[in-house]
Amino acid sequence: MKISQLQPGYTVLEHKDSGDIVHYTVVSIRQVGKMFEVTFQSVLGLASAFYPANGFIHAAA
């Protein structure tokens, strides 16, 4: 899914090299110039990252 199409509540999965899977929930997304700031929540807490609008990420609604 394109980063620009993400919505709060979507789930993102990260597959670690150890075989573990971390589930992240999109809390918010906002456009900052040509980038998007996405805030995620997981068991590890809250974190934000910046992505280009045309970037892709594996997400599920």
Side-chain angles (χ1 to χ4, degrees):
M1 170 176 293
K2 278 182 127 178
I3 294 294
S4 61
Q5 297 173 329
L6 282 176
Q7 296 292 321
Y10 282 18
T11 300
V12 176
L13 303 177
E14 179 183 9
H15 296 269
K16 301 282 191 173
D17 290 337
S18 64
D20 293 338
I21 299 174
V22 180
H23 297 257
Y24 298 93
T25 302
V26 176
V27 175
S28 67
I29 181 168
R30 69 182 184 103
Q31 189 168 2
V32 181
K34 293 183 178 182
M35 302 289 283
F36 279 82
E37 179 183 24
V38 182
T39 302
F40 300 98
Q41 182 175 13
S42 73
V43 295
L44 304 172
L46 286 175
S48 294
F50 285 89
Y51 297 95
N54 61 353
F56 283 86
I57 194 167
H58 295 284

